[in-house]
Amino acid sequence: MATDSELDHDIIVIGAGVCGIYALHCLLQKNLNITVLEAGSGPGGTWYWNRYPGCRFDSESWSYGYSFSNEILNEWNWTEHFASQPETLSYLEFVVDKLNLKPHMQFDCKVKRCTWDENTRSWEVLLADSRRLTTRFLMTAIGLLSAPTMPTIDGLDDFEGEAWHTYYWPGKKVEFTGKRVGVIGTGATGVQVIAELADKVKELTVFQRRPNWCAPLNNTKITPEEMDAIKTQYDDIFERCSQTPGGFIHGPRRTALEDVSTEDRHAFWQELYNSPGFGIWLGNYRDVLMDHEANEEFSEWIAEKIRDRVDDPWTAEKLIPTDHGFGTRRVPMETNYYEAYNRDNVHLVCLRDTPIEKITPNGIQTTAEEFEVDILVYATGFDAITGSFDRIEFVGTDGQTLRDKWVNDPITYLGVQTHGFPNLFTLAGPTAGSVSTNFPRGIEAGVDWAADLVQHILDEGITRVECSTEAETQWGDHVRDMYGVLLLREAKSWFTGYNSNLAGEYKARHLLYWGGAPRYREHLVTVAENYYEGFAFA
Ligand code: NA7
């Protein structure tokens, strides 16, 4: 076994996004020799990469910031209730500078392979620039939606105009004025892009395969007076977030639909429709997300809203999902999205009627016709949750790779470790309850817990920690049970591991923990109180 002084680091964290920033801050408090490796040229993760037009929060800005530092809370001013990407990135840069974290971060630093060495009880991390770093503990903070996928369509390289995946949006300004633009994809990202570009381009053609149920974001500016008031309410805001399943300020209404008159439910739904944020999804009657009948009734109510807002009846019907109910896929939040289709310069192409045949030098050829465009936007989603792990080769005990272990379902204990990969902590990993939440709220709890575990390890002089197969089997059963409660289990979306651009036949996967943040935290606390049961220390 190598002694600590023979290794380059005590801990390496991969990723300098929301999770990596907080992990670094927490671990530095413990006087550890730590470095953060980040593929981007700066911190920010998701908010560093996704610079596409219209990119913004669906979480209330003031519920998204870190809660741990009163100084940061008091110094930072949000200008909108749902901040745009540039503002969020500035916020994260502000935090990094404030905490003086940059000296501990290495940018443009891509990790290729991480290999466990049983003899030295350490990880060797191979970088794209061929450097090899050794570390006792390895922590991943590599994001849940950071492995973007391009469509598997013929001719991708033939297009002669500008083409961007929304995730890899360039730092330079893309000039849209006077241009014909095509957008493929109508998930949360595509919906933001389409609404933003509709009145800024010459022609906008939307290539939609399956529509999603969208709802108004109802975003507004925050005045300086309002921001001052928000600062006095942070304790209450974070307390509220800590009680809701999703870590948002919106929690489900516990009443069942059948206990409320039709008139009252419609009045409540109208109130939600007019209110900011995810309330309509996460603050709705609880059974809307659990019970087919309740879900169908609400979906039909929302369908009427789409018909009201879209002038052309054919277009309206094409924008109404028919393959899944409201809220069973991620609900895109929109600002004038449906109204975009009332404009003469916006055209909807339904790929289920006329699929794409190929990308041509001039645009997109469907089975019906060729659409010529100057710019192509691929809002085609991600290899969610496990994709970012698969891009790095993690080699554990006995040469097993994480990719192989997780090929069907990602098996973990509490989402933080997986057997066969000692000393690797998958912060914000698959099936961690910290992931399927208002992200900073979830990761603060998860990282605090992991940092306490590290403290325990240091105090005890431990050099190896690995969860047992029994512990992860039990956790896997619990994760599947939680999927069983929600209708989202039946929909094909990234929540269930669906992405048509991935190789192989689709089989629903259990990637996320749906038991809710309070229940997840209870699990974490119980495990820690029981001397980290389920983990073997050496
Ligand atoms: P999503 O929600 O996975 O959406 C991807 C969209 O791209 C979706 O409409 C797909 O249609 C469409 N798509 C993907 N591949 C193709 C091909 N080959 N042809 C046509 N259309 C395609 O990703 P987003 O980036 O919008 O959102 C991801 C998350 O980021 C979001 O949930 C937020 O949490 C932030 P499909 O539905 O598969 O028919």
Side-chain angles (χ1 to χ4, degrees), residues 58 145 149-153 165-166 184-191 207-210 212 329-330 351 356 379-382 492 494-495 498-501:
D58 294 321
L145 295 162
T149 48
M150 288 292 281
T152 46
I153 309 176
H165 189 289
T166 46
I184 305 180
T186 49
T189 304
V191 164
F207 296 88
Q208 169 188 271
R209 195 163 50 193
R210 290 183 300 155
N212 278 287
R329 299 179 67 184
R330 188 350 181 127
L351 300 179
I356 296 177
T380 45
F382 298 87
K492 281 177 163 181
W494 65 264
F495 288 169
Y498 176 77
N499 178 319
S500 69
N501 306 306

Side-chain angles (χ1 to χ4, degrees), residues 223-238:
T223 62
E225 297 73 36
E226 225 180 329
M227 193 62 228
D228 286 345
I230 289 170
K231 285 179 186 174
T232 66
Q233 294 159 19
Y234 272 130
D235 285 350
D236 292 343
I237 291 167
F238 295 132

Side-chain angles (χ1 to χ4, degrees), residues 207-489:
F207 296 88
Q208 169 188 271
R209 195 163 50 193
R210 290 183 300 155
N212 278 287
W213 297 99
C214 312
L217 181 62
N218 294 314
N219 185 24
T220 46
K221 299 265 183 234
I222 299 178
T223 62
E225 297 73 36
E226 225 180 329
M227 193 62 228
D228 286 345
I230 289 170
K231 285 179 186 174
T232 66
Q233 294 159 19
Y234 272 130
D235 285 350
D236 292 343
I237 291 167
F238 295 132
E239 176 57 24
R240 164 86 187 131
C241 291
S242 77
Q243 291 164 0
T244 63
F248 291 90
I249 57 156
H250 313 281
R253 187 163 269 224
R254 303 279 165 191
T255 333
L257 207 55
E258 62 182 11
D259 295 335
V260 185
S261 71
T262 305
E263 203 180 19
D264 285 352
R265 46 182 101 149
H266 286 188
F268 179 54
W269 286 340
Q270 188 59 49
E271 189 188 318
L272 291 176
Y273 203 75
N274 295 341
S275 304
F278 273 145
I280 197 145
W281 184 24
L282 307 177
N284 213 317
Y285 298 108
R286 192 187 183 135
D287 42 358
V288 165
L289 302 182
M290 295 174 167
D291 174 76
H292 283 113
E293 218 175 297
N295 184 268
E296 274 165 31
E297 188 182 328
F298 183 65
S299 299
E300 187 42 41
W301 188 88
I302 288 277
E304 276 305 308
K305 291 285 172 204
I306 300 173
R307 293 185 187 108
D308 284 350
R309 289 173 60 186
V310 178
D311 295 343
D312 173 48
W314 179 88
T315 308
E317 290 312 314
K318 291 293 179 187
L319 291 170
I320 296 172
T322 51
D323 68 317
H324 69 283
F326 181 91
T328 60
R329 299 179 67 184
R330 188 350 181 127
V331 177
M333 302 307 289
E334 47 85 23
T335 304
N336 295 330
Y337 173 65
Y338 290 112
E339 285 71 18
Y341 294 96
N342 297 336
R343 300 178 58 86
D344 290 340
N345 68 328
V346 177
H347 319 287
L348 180 65
V349 176
C350 291
L351 300 179
R352 282 188 300 179
D353 300 338
T354 54
I356 296 177
E357 279 185 343
K358 61 178 176 181
I359 307 291
T360 68
N362 300 320
I364 294 184
Q365 174 76 54
T366 68
T367 50
E369 62 182 291
E370 183 180 9
F371 294 87
E372 293 196 358
V373 295
D374 305 305
I375 302 176
L376 257 180
V377 179
Y378 292 102
T380 45
F382 298 87
D383 182 357
I385 318 287
T386 50
S388 47
F389 286 88
D390 289 348
R391 289 188 306 181
I392 299 171
E393 189 167 25
F394 291 93
V395 186
T397 55
D398 303 327
Q400 184 188 27
T401 65
L402 198 53
R403 201 180 289 130
D404 283 347
K405 180 170 179 187
W406 284 357
V407 68
N408 294 320
D409 252 355
I411 302 159
T412 79
Y413 181 38
L414 300 165
V416 296
Q417 259 222 341
T418 187
H419 184 77
F421 297 81
N423 293 12
L424 169 64
F425 294 100
T426 51
L427 302 176
T431 78
S434 36
V435 171
S436 43
T437 59
N438 188 11
F439 196 61
R441 301 285 66 78
I443 64 97
E444 277 185 349
V447 168
D448 286 345
W449 185 86
D452 286 348
L453 173 55
V454 167
Q455 187 68 63
H456 171 77
I457 287 167
L458 294 174
D459 293 346
E460 303 289 321
I462 290 160
T463 49
R464 190 185 195 281
V465 50
E466 182 182 14
C467 69
S468 68
T469 48
E470 294 76 23
E472 61 183 17
T473 302
Q474 269 179 24
W475 183 249
D477 291 345
H478 178 53
V479 166
R480 277 189 291 281
D481 286 348
M482 294 297 101
Y483 262 89
V485 174
L486 296 169
L487 294 174
L488 63 81
R489 69 184 178 271

